Amino acid sequence: MTRKLRLGMVGGGQGAFIGDVHRMAARLDGEWELVAGALSSDPARAMASARDLGLAPDRSYASFEDMAKTEAARPDGIDAVAIVTPNHMHAAPCIAFLRQNIHVICDKPLTATLEQAAEIAKAAQASTAQFFLTHNYTGYPLIRQARDMVKAGDLGDIRLVQVEYAQDWLTEEVSNKQADWRTDPARSGAGGCVGDIGTHAYNIARFVSGLTVESLSAELTSFVPGRALDDNVQAKLRFAGSARGSLWASQVAVGNENGLRLRIYGSKAGLDWAQENPNVMTFTRFGEAKQILTRGGAVANDSNHAAARVPAGHPEGYLEGFANLYRDAAAAIRAQQDNKSIPVENLVSLEDGLDGMRFIQACVQSSENNGAWTRLADV
């Protein structure tokens, strides 16, 4: 029987939302076992978090540097590490583990700055390890089917891409563990909302459409008085070729919880998907009635079925989408261990992460220049 892959984690200790999400997702398909962690920069909290998770005391580390070196030297060392820290703390652990040839699974966005992103890319090029970025919405079955449909030409030539991601949890000044680092430039980077959820909207638009954004015009706004980073972003997008689009992301849109929505329109047809009801997508050919596509339903394609776990009509969503990324990463790692090559087209790559960082920087630069059109290649 193939053994479970051994997973380590940096960050994600007591009170950390995203750490729990990664752990649940990794467990879902039985591919991974969490065996080690540097779960907090506070050694006492790190040890307490490790006890909560049942980790052996000798595999609870006070620093990620010690963890990377020690795990690399163990015969039963970790196969991969999940980096689930705030943005500004992604680069150093990513580089440390890549240098030890340990695979890295990093939460989005790639890091806080383009300079840090370039350092990660340099380390990855010199490593035998693989790098995976967890833009989790790419794991949803219908998003993968939508991507296939665009590639197959079902929509015709893509003309318009509309994507939005609306939340309201930062409508007022709030202080808690999740809000504090996201609104702090020292920990989040130059972008607030644009980096936190704007990158998700940007990534899913690129993932499904297959198009490259060449330039954008953006306005970043901080509506809450005294907030150092943006809580709302509106951007116009020019894709390579003739396609156009717009992106709106907000964390002050009252009445919205997690309203990620993608609409793509081509010369033949259009599709519409919303994350809060992720098991349904509409597809409409010009001049015909709307067609309702479902996860695992009658017209589900191979990608849809492969990403689903339970029969049609049984809801799946956020955790399962995350779990698909962990399952895909496991397949890629096992293939490398067996000296095999497998398609990994659904995985979010390091280059995708770098592209997301260029998107954030381009939005910031454009907004600082009164919405001037800014080429991503120039940032």
Side-chain angles (χ1 to χ4, degrees):
M1 180 177 178
T2 303
R3 69 167 176 85
K4 291 184 179 181
L5 293 173
R6 294 182 287 266
L7 181 68
M9 183 168 284
V10 175
Q14 292 175 335
F17 159 73
I18 202 63
D20 276 341
V21 170
H22 277 256
R23 288 188 288 268
M24 287 186 280
R27 288 197 303 266
L28 196 57
D29 294 302
E31 291 276 5
W32 297 91
E33 179 184 8
L34 182 69
V35 298
L39 300 172
S40 173
S41 56
D42 178 341
R45 179 174 290 180
M47 185 60 74
S49 300
R51 283 197 300 268
D52 289 347
L53 296 172
L55 299 185
D58 67 332
R59 300 188 84 169
S60 173
Y61 297 91
S63 73
F64 66 81
E65 295 95 339
D66 183 27
M67 177 179 167
K69 292 178 182 178
T70 303
E71 288 295 321
R74 291 179 65 119
D76 62 347
I78 59 173
D79 297 290
V81 63
I83 310 296
V84 294
T85 60
N87 301 353
H88 72 297
M89 295 175 66
H90 286 181
C94 282
I95 292 168
F97 284 92
L98 287 169
R99 285 177 175 168
Q100 296 295 335
N101 296 316
I102 293 172
H103 305 292
V104 172
I105 301 169
C106 183
D107 202 52
K108 64 82 218 166
L110 181 56
T111 186
T113 68
L114 269 171
E115 292 76 17
Q116 292 174 351
E119 292 174 4
I120 294 175
K122 184 178 179 181
Q125 290 168 0
S127 177
T128 60
Q130 299 186 64
F131 185 94
F132 310 97
L133 193 67
T134 56
H135 274 292
N136 57 294
Y137 300 112
T138 64
Y140 283 67
L142 281 168
I143 285 297
R144 294 189 171 184
Q145 176 162 351
R147 187 187 199 206
D148 289 348
M149 293 170 69
V150 170
K151 289 175 68 175
D154 293 349
L155 278 69
D157 296 327
I158 303 303
R159 294 172 172 172
L160 299 169
V161 179
Q162 304 290 122
V163 63
E164 65 182 53
Y165 199 157
Q167 300 175 339
D168 70 357
W169 70 290
L170 291 178
T171 293
E172 296 179 344
E173 188 61 50
V174 59
S175 180
N176 61 44
K177 186 172 184 177
Q178 300 305 318
D180 289 349
W181 76 262
R182 284 177 167 84
T183 56
D184 178 5
R187 290 181 283 175
S188 183
C193 175
V194 68
D196 189 24
I197 61 174
T199 49
H200 267 314
Y202 175 76
N203 176 262
I204 202 169
R206 289 264 290 105
F207 182 83
V208 175
S209 72
L211 300 176
T212 300
V213 175
E214 289 190 335
S215 61
L216 57 81
S217 169
E219 182 177 22
L220 275 58
T221 308
S222 300
F223 281 105
V224 175
R227 181 165 288 162
L229 292 175
D230 62 284
D231 48 33
N232 189 86
V233 55
Q234 292 164 297
K236 293 184 290 184
L237 309 174
R238 289 176 179 167
F239 295 91
S242 60
R244 297 293 182 262
S246 68
L247 181 152
W248 169 52
S250 181
Q251 292 172 314
V252 295
V254 176
N256 289 279
E257 294 176 344
N258 202 55
L260 175 60
R261 183 180 182 188
L262 176 66
R263 288 170 285 176
I264 299 182
Y265 304 101
S267 56
K268 296 179 181 178
L271 59 80
D272 187 348
W273 177 88
Q275 191 277 152
E276 291 184 335
N277 190 15
N279 296 290
V280 173
M281 178 172 69
T282 62
F283 173 68
T284 310
R285 293 184 177 88
F286 180 65
E288 298 183 15
K290 278 187 192 302
Q291 186 177 12
I292 298 175
L293 310 183
T294 60
R295 183 204 53 77
V299 293
N301 70 359
D302 290 344
S303 293
N304 184 325
H305 284 300
R309 289 170 176 76
V310 295
H314 297 75
E316 287 188 3
Y318 184 73
L319 289 176
E320 290 87 353
F322 247 114
N324 281 332
L325 301 192
Y326 269 90
R327 185 168 63 185
D328 291 345
I333 291 169
R334 292 190 191 281
Q336 183 176 337
Q337 291 174 343
D338 294 337
N339 295 312
K340 296 178 181 178
S341 177
I342 63 168
V344 290
E345 62 178 9
N346 285 322
L347 290 168
V348 182
S349 68
L350 178 59
E351 181 52 45
D352 293 319
L354 291 166
D355 185 49
M357 294 303 301
R358 288 189 286 266
F359 163 75
I360 296 170
Q361 189 61 40
C363 284
V364 171
Q365 289 185 13
S366 175
S367 186
E368 290 175 346
N369 288 284
N370 299 313
W373 283 95
T374 303
R375 284 175 48 84
L376 272 69
D378 294 337
V379 300

